Amino acid sequence: MNSIERRADVVAELAAVVDGEVEAGTRRRAEYSTDASNYRIVPEVVVYPRDADDLVATLATARAVGVPLTMRGGGTSTAGNSIGPGVVVDTSRHMNRILSVDLDAKTARVQPGVILTDLQKRVGPAGLRFGPDPSTSSRATLGGMIGNNACGPHAVAYGKTSENVSSLNVVDGAGRRYEAADSLAVLPGLDELVSTHLAMIRTEFGRFFRQVSGYSLEHLLPENGHSLARFLVGTEGTLATTLEATVKLVDVAPARLMAAFGYDNMPAAADAVMPILAHSPDAVEGLDARLIQKVRRAHGAGSIPELPAGAGWLFIEIGAATAAEAEARMAALAADAGTRSVRIVRDPLEAARLWAIRADGAGLAGRTEANKEAWPGWEDAAVPPERLGEYLRGLDELMARHGVTGEPFGHFGDGCIHVRIDIPMREDGRPLRAFMEDGAALVTSLGGSLSGEHGDGRARSELLKVMYSADAIDAFGQVKALFDPAGNLNPGVIVNPAALDADLRRPAAKKTTPSAGGLAFAHDNGDLTEAVHRCTGVGKCRSDAVTTSTGFMCPSFAATGDEKDVTRGRARVLQEAINGTLVGGLKAPEVRESLDLCLSCKACSSDCPSGVDMAAYKTEILHRTYKGKVRPVAHYSVGWLPRWLKVAGVAPRIANALTRPRWIQRALVGAAGLDTRRTLPVFAEQPFRRSGVATSRKPTSSAAEAGRAAVDPRAPGAALGVGAAESSRRVVLWADSFTDGLDPQVPTAIVAVLEDAGFEVIVSAGDACCGVTWISTGQLDGARKRLNGLLEVLGPYAVNGIPIIGVEPSCMGVLRGDLTELLPDDPRAHAVANGTYSLAEVLTGRAPVKPREGWQPPRLDDVTAVVQPHCHQYSVMGYTADRDLLARAGASVKEASGCCGLAGNWGAERGHYDTSMKVAHNSLVPALEAAPAGSIYLADGVSCRTQGVDAAGVQGRHLAQLLAERM
């Protein structure tokens, strides 16, 4: 029987007994072929059980047919312990119920697929929480946390997951189901095994808090209560599968206070830990200056609250009954912290921003300071805290010896360090093996553990023999034989380990993907292969913030909850396509299916800590797929929309009259490859470029003359024939094609507002289309042609220091981002990218030119607005300036906290309408429906205004219109 026939048989066996989904398609297997680790193992089938009975049936079938089985959790394992051959089980889709909460006993009964933050939200109002909180808590499942013995920053106060579990309802590898609690009697032979090895267990295990490598046999000792539940925590799914868990809850301190302590370097920060621990802090986390600098470069200097002087920091949290007690305890701690560089952070929002940097550490560290790929593997070692400084100095020496770099961070209070290292792995795993073996020697010489919370997985199981005696390794094998005699559960992990350099993902990709005349991928050395391997798998795109209306990233995932529709899943399919052994290249149907529901919102480009830009990858792949070929009809209709707007603009009244009847609209929309539930736009009776406002503000000298003039950087505008004083508030208004042909009243309002603020406004002459719809449909040759034309118009202003004011956020996003990717060698492109601003950025002083002295925005104290930030504005430019301006004007604002769902041409295309509306109902529609009577809908994007009408029957306005009306 060949592999395809065997897979079909396994699928048939599972489908016959499982009510949930059983999937073995190529795309699905690609999505589950890796996690957040270095490893790639393609499963045969993926199962989504609906309940415990389904999961038991899945386990029984796997045993019967002799197929290995691995539990997935949230798929964020950095050690490769959530991937495997055979069956991979994902409980997060259906088995995600909190079954009961007992507030008196302070316990909760949960299914394994419950997301940690869902549990925290459930019990938080009662002043309780689950103690451990890993950085992936917004997508980590309780089952995965139990598998890995997850910890997080607050483990120093509340303990590891193992200390926070009361009992587990499990099925072991032999098919026996029982409640694991404080007895070994449920498993014959286990008590005898422990008795035989008492001396070895007492001397080799439980030596310090973060020793989690191997099986934590110390929990089985009589003096530790024969805790089978605690023992099974951290066994990585190799012994038993959790069906339900009873977990402990802890009281949340009423008052919390954070402080940042600065040190000369990370080892110096580590040296200060022991005196700090004497004050019983709730969290002691270390952060490297290189991570901080990385955030500042990506998001601006203001993206990080002020930190005390230093090149390494400890973030410390104190919990207390009162604020005064927290202040007193923090003051006492600071006196023993070994530094005078201290900042107390009393603003909880500011503290949350700092903690978010720490939470994103794994993704941020995926690229080094030199923009090299950095990898996990040796990223979870722990040592007794008193030896942490010694370990960090040794780690620096080790990295220098191997010619690699890393940015350490982590749980300094527990002696657990995370670091991703730029070990070269494009060719093979030999450099990885060499470093890992030396790292194991270093950490064990200090009495440490190969893993401090992530488990050993495929990364470190082979090295357990360095850490433990032969007797201990033999005991692991005996334990495995008792629980899982056939070795079906997560094979290759802990017992009979796989080689640490086998099944590596990056070497499997091997080749680079050379340019095809599309995007430059300047941040990825011009290589699409390197770009798609930015995805570290940490899964922030699967965050509960996405699915509970508090985040922009992956709006289609918010609608479907399917790994197919999340950035991580798409990145894995693209990696497999480049690998070519599973998915047959970038033009394969699996790639088209994976990318179909990507809205190209670009939110991942700002929200993903690894810097994945799926919109760019989709654009590039569409370019490669259809270059020189006939395209889908929608690429010619909405993909060429600016062209059709120009045609309609010749006789807009006639165009409107011809398309007004509904039957004509439906016919035209259907023929254009669009959903017939969408309507055609109403064309402006007079395009903005022909209005009196525009024609009276044309430049006095041609753009060509300006471009040929000499540039004096000390006198902005000199090349346009004006002096410095005269041009100190001169700006160029760029009305894009959409604004010009559909909403001319918006640029008219912008002119009025800018002139009221003291600016001299030039309206750019000529056609300056940014080609955004060509870009979103992958017509990059056409987009480049339009951008070259745009540079002829706008380039001279930019190179002479005159700010360009945009109207439509998606078009400004092109100028600030895609422009230099498509024309990387044109200096005018970089000048335009650096010289384009939104209205709010200019009015709030974020541009080189400022409003006249004393100017204030009109008062909006009586305005209540539902605001929809455009996705490209959110991801490329940020919404801070608009938020600040509205606050300054006194408006009461409710921001929709996710994508509107239309996303330009995407939501109009046939096959996307239903998902588009689900996205709209995730954030925008509820916000509009909940708004008090008389509220306005504020949306700068034409797509967002269109979606407001289509999804909720609400007409939106641009910020400029609101300001102009109130002047």
Side-chain angles (χ1 to χ4, degrees), residues 265-266 286-293 311-313 406-409:
N265 50 53
M266 296 298 280
L287 207 63
D288 187 81
R290 288 164 289 186
L291 285 180
I292 295 291
Q293 186 60 30
W313 293 273
E407 300 161 358
F409 62 97

Side-chain angles (χ1 to χ4, degrees), residues 72-278:
R72 174 76 168 180
T76 58
S77 165
T78 56
N81 41 22
S82 63
I83 56 173
V87 179
V88 167
V89 179
D90 186 346
T91 60
S92 66
R93 179 180 287 184
H94 302 304
M95 292 186 67
N96 51 21
R97 292 173 53 223
I98 299 170
L99 301 172
S100 64
V101 174
D102 187 332
L103 296 180
D104 293 328
K106 297 182 182 178
T107 61
R109 187 77 169 176
V110 299
Q111 292 182 317
V114 169
I115 302 298
L116 175 58
T117 48
D118 289 340
L119 177 61
Q120 309 290 43
K121 290 173 185 176
R122 172 76 172 271
V123 303
L128 299 172
R129 59 169 286 171
F130 185 70
D133 55 346
S135 61
T136 57
S137 60
S138 62
R139 57 271 192 198
T141 66
L142 266 296
M145 292 177 64
I146 290 166
N148 281 7
N149 202 1
C151 298
H154 289 90
V156 70
Y158 302 126
K160 306 183 293 293
T161 297
S162 55
E163 281 80 49
N164 290 273
V165 166
S166 293
S167 65
L168 302 173
N169 189 258
V170 301
V171 174
D172 67 19
R176 296 163 293 204
R177 181 174 180 175
Y178 44 84
E179 193 78 9
D182 295 326
S183 171
L184 308 187
V186 294
L187 189 68
L190 184 57
D191 196 2
E192 181 182 353
L193 188 154
V194 173
S195 299
T196 303
H197 294 285
L198 281 176
M200 180 270 293
I201 295 173
R202 285 170 174 154
T203 54
E204 294 197 42
F205 292 86
R207 292 177 289 105
F208 73 105
F209 179 62
R210 284 295 187 105
Q211 180 185 349
V212 303
S213 277
Y215 293 143
S216 296
L217 297 173
E218 73 275 11
H219 295 301
L220 301 177
L221 291 169
E223 61 266 32
N224 293 331
H226 291 304
S227 180
L228 182 58
R230 287 190 178 188
F231 165 72
L232 287 175
V233 175
T235 55
E236 306 182 39
T238 62
L239 304 182
T241 300
T242 300
L243 305 175
E244 294 177 7
T246 299
V247 298
K248 300 175 183 178
L249 305 173
V250 298
D251 292 306
V252 176
R256 287 186 292 174
L257 185 63
M258 179 194 181
F261 294 76
Y263 299 87
D264 291 340
N265 50 53
M266 296 298 280
D271 291 338
V273 163
M274 291 308 294
I276 287 171
L277 289 178

Side-chain angles (χ1 to χ4, degrees), residues 637-712:
S637 56
V638 288
W640 289 2
L641 183 56
R643 179 175 290 173
W644 307 130
L645 288 173
K646 188 182 294 184
V647 172
V650 175
R653 293 181 181 178
I654 295 175
N656 285 330
L658 289 174
T659 59
R660 187 169 295 125
R662 182 62 183 144
W663 69 272
I664 293 179
Q665 285 221 6
R666 289 178 64 88
L668 289 174
V669 167
L674 311 180
D675 193 289
T676 55
R677 288 167 285 187
R678 297 290 186 184
T679 56
L680 293 174
V682 177
F683 306 108
E685 292 193 1
Q686 183 184 59
F688 176 72
R689 67 180 181 275
R690 295 209 299 263
S691 69
V693 172
T695 56
S696 64
R697 290 166 177 81
K698 295 292 185 185
T700 55
S701 60
S702 72
E705 291 171 351
R708 287 193 294 270
V711 178
D712 182 355

Side-chain angles (χ1 to χ4, degrees), residues 926-951:
L928 291 172
E929 291 176 344
S935 298
I936 66 169
Y937 173 40
L938 207 58
D940 284 4
V942 64
S943 293
C944 304
R945 296 195 294 273
T946 301
Q947 186 78 323
V949 173
D950 287 357

Side-chain angles (χ1 to χ4, degrees), residues 469-739:
S469 69
D471 285 346
I473 298 298
D474 182 61
F476 291 165
Q478 294 176 45
V479 169
K480 175 74 169 176
L482 278 179
F483 282 89
D484 181 30
N488 269 12
L489 297 182
N490 207 2
V493 173
I494 301 181
V495 174
N496 298 321
L500 66 86
D501 52 357
D503 302 311
L504 293 171
R505 170 166 47 91
R506 190 59 176 93
K510 293 186 177 166
K511 58 186 181 301
T512 61
T513 305
S515 171
L519 300 177
F521 293 109
H523 297 295
D524 298 289
N525 299 307
D527 182 11
L528 180 61
T529 297
E530 188 171 323
V532 300
H533 276 86
R534 272 186 177 271
C535 179
T536 57
V538 296
K540 189 178 180 181
C541 46
R542 283 183 59 98
S543 167
D544 72 322
V546 174
T547 56
T548 55
S549 309
T550 56
F552 276 76
M553 188 161 43
C554 290
S556 55
F557 176 71
T560 69
D562 193 326
E563 184 80 11
K564 172 179 77 72
D565 301 317
V566 75
T567 299
R568 183 179 71 181
R570 293 181 177 120
R572 297 318 190 200
V573 172
L574 296 184
Q575 290 168 5
E576 288 295 328
I578 287 173
N579 175 300
T581 59
L582 179 62
V583 176
L586 293 172
K587 299 179 184 179
E590 291 87 354
V591 172
R592 291 198 296 275
E593 185 179 359
S594 184
L595 294 177
D596 180 51
L597 294 187
C598 172
L599 282 72
S600 296
C601 68
K602 296 186 80 72
C604 54
S605 68
S606 62
D607 284 358
C608 172
S610 302
V612 171
D613 186 350
M614 192 54 61
Y617 309 160
K618 180 178 181 178
T619 290
E620 176 72 15
I621 288 161
L622 288 173
H623 166 73
R624 290 169 181 259
T625 299
Y626 293 109
K627 188 175 177 65
K629 298 178 181 178
V630 176
R631 289 173 166 270
V633 66
H635 288 199
Y636 302 112
S637 56
V638 288
W640 289 2
L641 183 56
R643 179 175 290 173
W644 307 130
L645 288 173
K646 188 182 294 184
V647 172
V650 175
R653 293 181 181 178
I654 295 175
N656 285 330
L658 289 174
T659 59
R660 187 169 295 125
R662 182 62 183 144
W663 69 272
I664 293 179
Q665 285 221 6
R666 289 178 64 88
L668 289 174
V669 167
L674 311 180
D675 193 289
T676 55
R677 288 167 285 187
R678 297 290 186 184
T679 56
L680 293 174
V682 177
F683 306 108
E685 292 193 1
Q686 183 184 59
F688 176 72
R689 67 180 181 275
R690 295 209 299 263
S691 69
V693 172
T695 56
S696 64
R697 290 166 177 81
K698 295 292 185 185
T700 55
S701 60
S702 72
E705 291 171 351
R708 287 193 294 270
V711 178
D712 182 355
R714 297 167 298 177
L720 296 177
V722 293
E726 191 179 351
S727 68
S728 62
R729 280 192 289 272
R730 174 166 286 194
V731 296
V732 178
L733 176 62
W734 167 53
D736 54 88
S737 303
F738 305 112
T739 296

Side-chain angles (χ1 to χ4, degrees), residues 357-499:
I357 298 167
R358 166 59 192 87
D360 285 343
L364 292 169
R367 290 294 177 106
T368 66
E369 192 80 5
N371 197 34
K372 292 182 180 179
E373 295 170 313
W375 305 98
W378 191 257
E379 47 72 52
D380 187 36
V383 297
E386 62 270 21
R387 307 199 72 174
L388 183 57
E390 195 177 348
Y391 169 60
L392 285 174
R393 292 179 179 92
L395 182 61
D396 283 342
E397 293 172 3
L398 178 63
M399 288 192 290
R401 192 162 71 245
H402 283 263
V404 295
T405 60
E407 300 161 358
F409 62 97
H411 313 299
F412 276 40
D414 292 328
C416 180
I417 296 299
H418 300 309
V419 59
R420 288 179 180 248
I421 302 172
D422 58 356
I423 297 171
M425 285 203 294
R426 294 193 180 199
E427 299 301 324
D428 57 46
R430 284 177 295 178
L432 176 69
R433 172 172 289 280
F435 187 91
M436 295 282 286
E437 289 176 346
D438 286 351
L442 169 64
V443 80
T444 54
S445 73
L446 299 172
S449 177
L450 303 174
S451 172
E453 65 178 329
H454 293 166
D456 300 304
R458 299 174 183 281
R460 295 177 286 271
S461 290
E462 184 190 351
L463 298 173
L464 288 172
K465 61 189 177 184
V466 179
M467 178 177 169
Y468 290 112
S469 69
D471 285 346
I473 298 298
D474 182 61
F476 291 165
Q478 294 176 45
V479 169
K480 175 74 169 176
L482 278 179
F483 282 89
D484 181 30
N488 269 12
L489 297 182
N490 207 2
V493 173
I494 301 181
V495 174
N496 298 321

